[in-house]
């Protein structure tokens, strides 16, 4: 991630690297990213990182597969951000 | 507890191990509209979809709904079920209300019942969670279990209506006396309502998901950390994973 925002979270870039490697399915990059997460955060954290990736890779199937809308409070909280990013244009 | 990864034992929460095992059993057990054998066929099809030539051509296309052909199916599921599973696995972010409508009304292939479709979504979601956990950890995929004998319950909630989403959902205020209540454990946000036409699928997925991620009341409890990583780290991972999957929700 080139914009540096991940660095506002402790070990953010290390976490992002693993997320992206798992998503791309690149064996070598994933192996490296796993090792780096374990070195920086420890083994228990590594397992919880993997669990979080699993959760959000799955929940998207429910959201996209059923077409549920954002809750009103979420829509309001993210209104400006969605306008800036033109995310609303992508609603099916 | 510990989990063995490439010869090393890593600590893992007891509750997570318990729910992983329960999730595997849920895939093998008769659901509400599909038998255990059929649910496992859906799971097998979900794994096969990643190598499907038609799905790869559609994924690469600017307009995936203009690409016709036959899926590289591995089982005996009806064609509409195969189409549903493959699209959910490989290109969920570009699913449209129109596509679901075509599946449910029939077109070039016999129609899929709305209840059957929602249960497929639940099975694909659980399988995706379990397989992604293995991929992230560096474990080989676990073999699918043997089916557990039993007949589907076949109860459609009387109060389910199509008013919130592209499929019928069961609003808390519409739950009738004979309808299972899918909300008392995990909450009733829209993501829970998405599967509520088949209430058991709400439990099958979210019993696992709250151990992978967080329970509903833990998500905004910033005074406590419930995992070996912080709320901020969890949400960074969640946000990036969702963005990579093209999830607007």
């Amino acid at each position: 991630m080139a914009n540096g925002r991940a660095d506002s979270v402790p070990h953010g870039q290390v976490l992002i690297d693993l997320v992206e490697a798992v998503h791309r399915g690149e064996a070598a990059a994933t192996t490296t990213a796993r090792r780096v997460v374990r070195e920086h955060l420890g083994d228990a954290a590594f397992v919880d990182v993997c669990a979080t990736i699993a959760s959000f890779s799955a929940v998207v199937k429910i959201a996209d597969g059923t077409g549920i809308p954002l809750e009103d409070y979420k829509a309001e909280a993210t209104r400006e951000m969605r306008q800036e990013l033109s995310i609303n244009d992508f609603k099916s | 507890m510990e989990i063995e990864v490439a010869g090393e034992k890593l600590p893992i929460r007891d509750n997570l191990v318990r729910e992983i095992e329960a999730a595997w059993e849920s895939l093998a057990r008769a659901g509400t509209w599909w038998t255990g054998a059929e649910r496992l066929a859906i799971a097998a099809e979900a794994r096969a979809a990643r190598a499907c030539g038609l799905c790869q051509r559609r994924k690469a296309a600017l307009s995936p709904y203009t690409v016709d052909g036959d899926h590289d199916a591995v089982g005996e599921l009806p064609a509409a079920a195969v189409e549903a599973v493959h699209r959910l696995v490989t290109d969920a972010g570009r699913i449209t209300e129109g596509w679901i409508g075509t599946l449910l009304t029939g077109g070039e292939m016999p129609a899929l019942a709305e209840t059957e479709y929602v249960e497929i979504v639940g099975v694909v979601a659980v399988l995706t969670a379990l397989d992604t956990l293995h991929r992230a950890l560096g474990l080989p995929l676990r073999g699918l279990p043997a089916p557990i004998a039993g007949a589907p319950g076949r109860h459609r909630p009387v109060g389910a209506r199509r008013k919130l989403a592209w499929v019928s959902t069961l609003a808390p205020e519409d739950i009738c006396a004979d309808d299972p209540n899918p909300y008392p454990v995990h909450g009733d946000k829209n993501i829970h309502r998405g599967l509520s036409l088949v209430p058991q699928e709400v439990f099958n997925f979210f019993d696992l998901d709250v151990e992978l991620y967080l329970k509903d009341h833990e998500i905004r409890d910033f005074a406590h950390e419930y995992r070996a990583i912080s709320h901020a780290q969890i949400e960074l991972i969640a946000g990036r994973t969702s963005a990579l999957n093209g999830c607007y929700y």
Side-chain angles (χ1 to χ4, degrees):
Chain A
M1 201 157 97
N3 62 16
R5 290 185 184 177
D7 293 337
S8 63
V9 174
H11 305 296
Q13 192 58 56
V14 167
L15 298 171
I16 292 291
D17 287 346
L18 180 58
V19 169
E20 294 184 347
V22 170
H23 180 78
R24 290 193 303 266
E26 295 173 358
T30 309
T31 299
T32 300
R34 285 189 201 107
R35 178 178 51 75
V36 175
V37 168
R38 291 176 64 185
E39 286 174 358
H40 282 77
L41 289 99
D43 288 345
F46 167 66
V47 173
D48 283 341
V49 170
C50 294
T52 307
I53 294 171
S55 166
F56 282 85
S57 297
V59 81
V60 63
K61 306 301 182 188
I62 300 171
D64 288 340
T66 63
I68 54 166
L70 274 181
E71 289 85 355
D72 290 344
Y73 75 92
K74 281 187 187 173
E76 181 56 31
T78 59
R79 185 171 51 85
E80 287 186 17
M81 181 191 73
R82 285 182 291 108
Q83 280 177 347
E84 284 179 23
L85 299 177
S86 300
I87 286 175
N88 293 336
D89 295 345
F90 290 92
K91 288 185 78 171
S92 299
Chain B
M1 295 188 74
E2 294 176 320
I3 185 170
E4 188 167 332
V5 178
E8 293 186 80
K9 292 189 174 177
L10 309 182
I12 184 169
R13 287 173 280 116
D14 293 358
N15 287 355
L16 178 54
V17 171
R18 185 194 67 223
E19 294 305 333
I20 288 170
E21 295 307 315
W24 281 112
E25 187 180 324
S26 80
L27 290 176
R29 208 173 39 228
T32 309
W33 299 97
W34 299 96
T35 66
E38 289 168 336
R39 289 167 62 83
L40 290 169
I42 292 165
E45 205 61 64
R47 285 183 169 175
R50 294 166 63 92
C52 173
L54 174 60
C55 289
Q56 290 172 3
R57 291 194 297 279
R58 285 178 169 174
K59 185 72 176 172
L62 192 59
S63 300
Y65 293 93
T66 64
V67 181
D68 294 325
D70 295 321
H71 288 291
D72 298 325
V74 294
E76 301 298 324
L77 290 173
V82 172
E83 164 71 5
V85 172
H86 280 233
R87 188 87 70 171
L88 283 162
V89 170
T90 62
D91 207 6
R94 294 195 288 180
I95 285 176
T96 66
E97 186 174 15
W99 172 78
I100 293 176
T102 301
L103 279 181
L104 303 186
T105 57
E108 295 178 4
M109 58 187 88
L112 200 58
E114 188 181 36
T115 46
E116 294 171 336
Y117 173 73
V118 171
E119 186 164 327
I120 285 173
V121 175
V123 170
V124 168
V126 168
L127 195 275
T128 299
L130 293 168
D131 279 359
T132 304
L133 179 63
H134 272 233
R135 289 191 180 95
L137 288 168
L139 289 168
L141 297 187
R142 184 162 157 171
L144 296 178
I148 299 170
R154 307 187 72 81
H155 175 79
R156 179 186 168 110
V158 175
R161 306 275 185 277
R162 194 177 302 182
K163 60 183 180 183
L164 175 75
W166 297 339
V167 295
S168 297
T169 56
L170 181 62
E173 62 272 21
D174 292 336
I175 297 174
C176 299
D178 292 337
D179 292 340
N181 181 352
Y183 304 123
V185 178
H186 301 303
D188 61 2
K189 294 193 170 60
N190 288 353
I191 194 65
H192 304 109
R193 297 187 191 200
L195 294 173
S196 61
L197 181 61
V198 186
Q200 185 58 46
E201 291 309 304
V202 179
F203 292 109
N204 288 349
F205 181 77
F206 286 100
D207 285 354
L208 171 64
D209 189 64
V210 298
E211 295 302 335
L212 292 169
Y213 175 44
L214 290 166
K215 294 183 175 69
D216 201 49
H217 73 273
E218 296 170 345
I219 294 172
R220 292 174 188 275
D221 179 7
F222 303 117
H224 298 93
E225 296 297 355
Y226 296 90
R227 300 289 183 254
I229 51 178
S230 68
H231 274 79
Q233 290 170 320
I234 289 172
E235 295 308 323
L236 179 69
I237 297 163
R240 188 64 185 138
T241 303
S242 297
L244 288 169
N245 282 297
C247 182
Y248 75 91
Y249 183 81

